[in-house]
Amino acid sequence: MLACSLAACSRPEPAPEPVRSVKLLEVGVGAVDAQLEYAGEVRARIESRLGFRVAGKLVSRQVELGQQVTAGQLLAQLDAQDYRLAAEASRAQVTAATTQRDLAAADLQRYRTLRAQNFISGAELERREATLKSAQASLDQARAQAAGQSLQADYTRLIADVAGVVTSIDAEPGQVVAAGTPVVRIAQDGERDVVFSVPEDKVARMRPGQAVAVRTWAGDQRYAGRVREVAASADPVTRTYLVKVALERTPGQALPALGATVHARPEGLGAASQPVIKLPTTALQQHGGGSAVWIFDADSSSVRLQPVTMGSADGNEVVITQGLAPGMRVVATGGHVLSPGQKVTVYQGVGETARPADAAPQPIPATR
């Protein structure tokens, strides 16, 4: 009875670990022909940041972001009261200088008559001539100042010098702006560029005139282009180099809209076709500081962990540079629940003939 009681109080034996079912693939050699593609943006060839040539308080803005403007259209207006008063003062100075000139001319005419009658000396006549010349110079100066003040008043109106699209608004009514401060940015109508950035290890392979295939993100329209400019220095934040591609016009085909997102594929920037071993990303596992895959051992119907070295990516697959050889059988899915030496069975899909895990392997299509 004591033995039976002790047996009843002991812990039950743990349930055996279930045999996992995994999908396998046979490692093969395929070709990789990856082409690098970059996301870019369509921009105008020329974008002008327009600002006032004089300082003042912005009182009105006549355009909005994205608006189409024409040459000669009013964009913004400064408070011109101070400049109008200065222009009126300059015109008054012109009137005063004109009066002084006319008075000096009349005096000179009278002194010439007196000189003809020998009532005055020649030196006195010369002084009157000099006075007239000085009065004429003062009048010319006043007229020039008046013209300059009139231009200052005209500069309080910001006028579009070319047709285009407003791409940026940098000042709002009520703001006091200095001379030259950008207020409106206009992308000029005409030629357009595709702008994208490339990393430092690829910039050496970008050169002016290089062909670039461009396709729009929306609509999948295709365009041809050529590299027009490669930045000489890297961006201080992203450490990438800006590349500008000139789009080539095709008869009957409209250029993409400004700001549109496109995909740019430079010619000769992809990897050349070469035999490699590729695996789907589902077959990779984290192992220590690197990656590994589960190798199936048909003799023991178990799996073991095999460290691998990854190279570049090719779509949804990863190129394996070290650790695998053609003919090995790798667990494609279900590896996250496995442990080294664990017994497994080969998963059979619907319509497939079941076979034990230790059966001779059947040909499995190699990955490409």
Side-chain angles (χ1 to χ4, degrees):
M1 292 178 62
L2 181 60
C4 294
S5 300
L6 292 176
C9 296
S10 61
R11 294 182 179 180
E13 291 292 334
E17 184 177 355
V19 179
R20 303 290 183 180
S21 180
V22 296
K23 286 186 176 181
L24 300 180
L25 59 85
E26 185 174 342
V27 175
V29 177
V32 60
D33 192 11
Q35 293 292 327
L36 296 180
E37 193 173 67
Y38 299 94
E41 179 185 1
V42 178
R43 297 182 186 175
R45 178 72 56 83
I46 300 176
E47 285 187 297
S48 303
R49 290 177 171 85
L50 304 182
F52 293 99
R53 300 173 66 174
V54 294
K57 180 179 180 180
L58 185 63
V59 295
S60 63
R61 176 169 52 79
Q62 283 72 24
V63 294
E64 299 295 338
L65 188 64
Q67 179 178 340
Q68 186 82 25
V69 297
T70 59
Q73 181 176 343
L74 179 64
L75 304 177
Q77 174 73 53
L78 289 180
D79 184 3
Q81 182 64 24
D82 294 341
Y83 297 100
R84 283 195 293 266
L85 292 176
E88 292 177 2
S90 297
R91 287 192 292 269
Q93 291 177 357
V94 171
T95 302
T98 302
T99 302
Q100 294 295 328
R101 192 277 313 270
D102 294 342
L103 181 59
D107 285 344
L108 177 61
Q109 185 61 35
R110 286 194 300 270
Y111 275 81
R112 282 176 178 172
T113 303
L114 294 175
R115 174 59 184 157
Q117 298 175 1
N118 290 326
F119 288 138
I120 61 173
S121 63
E124 186 65 26
L125 181 62
E126 291 176 357
R127 282 195 293 269
R128 298 301 171 179
E129 290 177 348
T131 301
L132 176 60
K133 292 180 180 179
S134 177
Q136 182 63 46
S138 297
L139 176 60
D140 294 341
Q141 180 182 7
R143 285 175 175 172
Q145 290 178 349
Q149 289 297 332
S150 298
L151 290 177
Q152 295 288 310
D154 292 339
Y155 291 156
T156 60
R157 303 173 72 249
L158 185 60
I159 304 298
D161 53 355
V162 293
V165 178
V166 178
T167 59
S168 176
I169 300 294
D170 300 322
E172 296 294 340
Q175 181 177 344
V176 177
V177 296
T181 301
V183 176
V184 177
R185 184 170 63 184
I186 294 181
Q188 298 185 15
D189 286 339
E191 301 297 330
R192 295 177 183 175
D193 290 341
V194 170
V195 180
F196 59 93
S197 298
V198 298
E200 185 176 359
D201 61 337
K202 298 295 187 298
V203 67
R205 300 173 62 184
M206 302 296 300
R207 60 191 184 279
Q210 182 177 354
V212 179
V214 178
R215 63 181 179 88
T216 58
W217 179 75
D220 198 31
Q221 297 181 353
R222 308 285 174 153
Y223 299 90
R226 292 194 176 274
V227 175
R228 183 175 66 86
E229 179 183 333
V230 180
S233 59
D235 184 273
V237 178
T238 62
R239 307 307 302 169
T240 57
Y241 291 78
L242 196 67
V243 178
K244 295 182 179 180
V245 175
L247 291 178
E248 299 178 356
R249 287 184 175 270
T250 303
Q253 186 181 31
L255 292 177
L258 292 175
T261 301
V262 296
H263 300 283
R265 179 176 293 182
E267 185 182 62
L269 207 61
S273 297
Q274 53 185 337
V276 294
I277 293 176
K278 296 188 296 182
L279 291 178
T281 56
T282 56
L284 298 174
Q285 308 292 325
Q286 290 293 332
H287 177 63
S291 301
V293 296
W294 291 105
I295 301 296
F296 177 72
D297 185 4
D299 296 334
S300 60
S301 299
S302 61
V303 292
R304 61 180 176 87
L305 205 57
Q306 174 66 37
V308 295
T309 302
M310 296 187 299
S312 61
D314 186 17
N316 293 327
E317 295 179 317
V318 178
V319 176
I320 305 299
T321 59
Q322 292 181 359
L324 293 180
M328 290 183 174
R329 307 180 74 192
V330 175
V331 175
T333 58
H336 63 285
V337 295
L338 300 179
S339 59
Q342 183 175 352
K343 296 288 185 177
V344 296
T345 59
V346 179
Y347 172 80
Q348 303 297 327
V350 178
E352 296 181 358
T353 303
R355 66 178 188 273
D358 56 355
Q362 299 297 320
I364 302 176
T367 59
R368 294 191 303 168

